[in-house]
Amino acid sequence: RDTQAFQALDPELLACLGSSDGTIVYQAKFHANGSASAAIADAKKEAEKIRRYRDPTHSRHSQWLGVKIWRLVTNSTFNPANRDSWDKDVVPLFAALGLDVDYWERATLDGHLDQQPDIARSFFGGETRAFLTLPEARSVYLEAEPFLSRSSTGEFFGRHDEIQSVREFLNSESLFLLVHGPGGVGKTRLLLEAGETLAAEGEWRVLWANVASMTMNGSWFLGIPVARQTLLLVDEPEDETLLRVLSEQFSGRGRTTRWKIAVAVRSPKSPVVRFLSAPRIQRRVTQLPLAALPSSAATAMCSDLLGSGPLGATTSTQWRSSTARAVAERFSRFPIWMTLAIHLLESHGDLAKVPATAEGLADEYLEEIVRLQTRTSAAAVLQLLRWTALLGPADREDESTVQVLADRSGVGDPAHALQLVAELVERRALTQRGARNRIVELKPDVVRDHVLLRWLTVPTGAGDTAWTPSADATDLIDTIRTAGAGGSRRRMCRRRAIPCLSTRPRTPAATAQSPGPSRPS
């Protein structure tokens, strides 16, 4: 695993990296002139430093106890004469320290990069990576957690059977595993945990798909390393575009037949579900429905979250146990709502002050976000959240997008809108991704849905749907119809309607507050 970990890093930025078992130390040295003699001189200097480190009285002695190999990583090029100098002048110095020594020079690195074209194109070709490692994916997942400030994701509860189903999928003839369930049930976390479990077993390489990059860049397939059997995890793609390409490339012919794809989707109406349900594809799809956690697992999850936060040091074990059971059952054992409930419980300190419904949780969470943005009016913050939710992934480097957010929120000044977006990202009310973190979204999806339902629908309590469009929704529809009648139909697309929408700003004062939906989105 040491070579795999190293290949995921830029050698020019690397100072010193150890293998996972602590037996190998990599020392990276960039030599501006590419001279092998300079690399050899550096190795001699490092031998003297390591001699001091391995002295029992040195503060770093314990770090070197298990080390057996020291490896120099350099951009220099070694010729036969340089190799002879290495064997004559460097190897004996390290042997005297009880260490084997070798080097990775330019040719070695080029050979490794040839086996990892995705990394070569990303770090040295200036292209966005198509795949993330699981530690990277977990880091992104943790950074996007909007409710609880924790240093880790905590223990994973209640999905042993589902992980076993993923393992069975890998041994089946299916190409796709369709993981589906309502928003907030834990699909992303399941992909992460199942992927890490399987990767640790060593038989399968597991990669996390950078969906946005793969959807926008049609050349990503050139970066696929194909030598090993691989499980690709795809989390909630917006449509079937990526799945269609994957189906064609992994059709069972040629070099990529050892790959499997697990894809998580939320809505049964998703274009991804329709695509995977087509007769030609369906026979190669295994379905894994995800329901709420079992009662014991939900209680254990809540108890773990309570114990790892500020309430863990100020409450009794008995209180945390009874509160965990109450939270788990109150919110139907859905991880997203239990997490939000515990966030609010940590703020209030009293379960009686925490809303009793998921809808109430979302309302209070949004009120908290608005309240904390003290430099902008509450109405403007709410409107900016609404329009960010409506636009979907919003590019804050796109002038027309920023103008829409400025106009529709009522702040007027695009610079003020960008500042507000930055504050909401810092608060984790919005997430950011992409090159230069230019793409912002309202997450998690259940909160985004709640914002849109509160804004654009009115519950009627009668009829087949018990919902009707709000006045703001009707106005928005009329605006898009007018834009479509005026010319290009492409501008009627949600993301391409921005220029025409920006010509009809509505101030927050003129926007009606619709009553909330009668049930959580």
Side-chain angles (χ1 to χ4, degrees):
R1 295 194 326 198
D2 50 285
T3 55
Q4 190 174 29
F6 178 79
Q7 289 165 350
L9 297 172
D10 185 342
E12 293 185 21
L13 301 179
L14 190 63
C16 185
L17 176 73
S19 63
S20 58
D21 60 4
T23 61
I24 305 175
V25 167
Y26 298 87
Q27 188 75 41
K29 295 284 187 179
F30 178 77
H31 299 94
N33 60 6
S35 166
S37 60
I40 292 171
D42 278 337
K44 293 178 181 179
K45 293 176 183 177
E46 289 299 323
E48 175 58 26
K49 291 180 182 178
I50 295 169
R51 185 189 63 78
R52 297 196 302 270
Y53 297 157
R54 291 174 73 88
D55 187 300
T57 63
H58 197 280
S59 60
R60 295 181 60 180
H61 172 69
S62 61
Q63 299 174 4
W64 287 83
L65 286 176
V67 177
K68 298 179 180 178
I69 301 172
W70 185 84
R71 178 168 291 155
L72 175 67
V73 182
T74 174
N75 62 308
S76 302
T77 300
F78 277 57
N79 59 35
N82 300 136
R83 296 188 187 99
D84 289 341
S85 296
W86 177 274
D87 292 340
K88 176 183 176 182
D89 299 332
V90 176
V91 172
L93 293 178
F94 283 84
L97 300 173
L99 296 174
D100 292 332
V101 61
D102 59 20
Y103 57 82
W104 283 0
E105 45 114 4
R106 179 180 293 274
T108 311
L109 293 174
D110 286 342
H112 284 310
L113 288 171
D114 286 343
Q115 299 174 26
Q116 302 288 341
D118 178 51
I119 292 173
R121 292 165 63 239
S122 301
F123 284 104
F124 303 102
E127 298 186 22
T128 303
R129 294 175 64 191
F131 310 115
L132 301 180
T133 64
L134 291 182
E136 290 172 311
R138 182 173 287 276
S139 177
V140 171
Y141 176 82
L142 186 60
E143 289 175 4
E145 161 57 49
F147 305 140
L148 297 177
S149 296
R150 300 286 194 273
S151 59
S152 70
T153 50
E155 191 173 345
F156 189 57
F157 297 95
R159 298 298 189 193
H160 176 271
D161 291 345
E162 287 81 356
I163 292 178
Q164 182 59 32
S165 295
V166 178
R167 185 178 283 106
E168 292 170 358
F169 156 71
L170 295 179
N171 295 321
S172 72
E173 296 297 321
S174 295
L175 173 61
F176 291 101
L177 176 68
L178 178 60
V179 182
H180 56 90
V185 78
K187 298 181 294 297
T188 302
R189 182 76 186 274
L190 174 66
L191 288 186
L192 275 174
E193 298 291 343
E196 289 182 346
T197 298
L198 294 165
E201 294 173 359
E203 184 178 353
W204 286 81
R205 171 175 51 191
V206 184
L207 300 174
W208 189 272
N210 187 344
V211 174
S213 172
M214 294 173 74
T215 301
M216 296 177 63
N217 183 357
S219 64
W220 61 266
F221 187 74
L222 298 175
I224 287 184
V226 298
R228 290 175 54 190
Q229 58 184 6
T230 300
L231 172 62
L232 179 63
L233 306 176
V234 184
D235 188 36
E236 296 198 358
E238 287 193 3
D239 55 39
E240 76 279 14
T241 303
L242 176 58
L243 274 292
R244 191 179 299 278
V245 175
L246 289 171
S247 176
E248 293 170 356
Q249 298 294 348
F250 298 90
S251 59
R253 300 185 299 274
R255 64 185 189 131
T256 55
T257 56
R258 303 180 72 188
W259 281 53
K260 300 269 190 176
I261 304 118
V263 53
V265 299
R266 179 169 55 132
S267 171
K269 298 180 181 179
S270 166
V272 172
V273 175
R274 291 198 298 271
F275 173 74
L276 295 179
S277 299
R280 185 176 64 86
I281 303 294
Q282 189 176 27
R283 60 185 178 82
R284 303 203 64 192
V285 177
T286 295
Q287 296 204 25
L288 177 57
L290 209 58
L293 287 171
S295 181
S296 60
T299 300
M301 173 186 165
C302 290
S303 182
D304 181 64
L305 292 176
L306 288 169
S308 63
L311 293 175
T314 60
T315 59
S316 67
T317 302
Q318 182 179 1
W319 181 89
R320 292 195 298 272
S321 178
S322 61
T323 301
R325 286 194 299 272
V327 170
E329 294 309 315
R330 180 183 291 188
F331 300 106
S332 303
R333 308 187 307 281
F334 266 54
I336 189 72
W337 299 120
M338 294 188 298
T339 304
L340 177 51
I342 289 174
H343 163 71
L344 296 177
L345 179 58
E346 291 176 346
S347 300
H348 298 311
D350 184 355
L351 185 59
K353 296 180 180 179
V354 175
T357 66
E359 179 186 25
L361 288 178
D363 282 337
E364 184 160 340
Y365 172 66
L366 291 169
E367 290 171 6
E368 179 185 83
I369 292 172
V370 170
R371 185 172 64 251
L372 290 174
Q373 308 308 314
T374 56
R375 290 185 287 183
T376 306
S377 71
V381 175
L382 180 59
Q383 281 296 94
L384 187 136
L385 289 172
R386 287 172 169 176
W387 277 89
T388 304
L390 181 65
L391 296 175
D395 187 347
R396 53 178 157 178
E397 293 184 0
D398 181 77
E399 292 182 3
S400 58
T401 299
V402 176
Q403 191 64 57
V404 168
L405 295 177
D407 290 342
R408 295 288 171 155
S409 66
V411 301
D413 179 16
H416 187 176
L418 284 173
Q419 180 185 17
L420 180 55
V421 166
E423 291 172 355
L424 290 169
V425 168
E426 185 177 1
R427 170 62 182 77
R428 294 192 178 188
L430 299 178
T431 63
Q432 60 184 9
R433 60 175 173 81
R436 301 175 300 282
N437 288 323
R438 71 183 191 278
I439 304 300
V440 294
E441 297 179 86
L442 179 58
K443 289 286 188 176
D445 290 338
V446 291
V447 172
R448 182 187 66 198
D449 291 349
H450 179 81
V451 167
L452 292 175
L453 280 176
R454 279 292 203 196
W455 179 30
L456 299 175
T457 67
V458 177
T460 64
D464 294 335
T465 61
W467 303 86
T468 189
S470 68
D472 282 352
T474 302
D475 179 72
L476 179 61
I477 292 168
D478 289 342
T479 301
I480 295 177
R481 282 176 176 165
T482 301
S488 172
R489 295 182 62 185
R490 291 178 63 192
R491 294 174 69 193
M492 294 184 68
C493 171
R494 179 180 63 183
R495 293 183 181 82
R496 292 170 178 157
I498 290 174
C500 59
L501 289 176
S502 64
T503 64
R504 297 185 61 201
R506 284 172 60 93
T507 63
T511 304
Q513 279 276 10
S514 60
S518 59
R519 56 184 172 84
S521 57

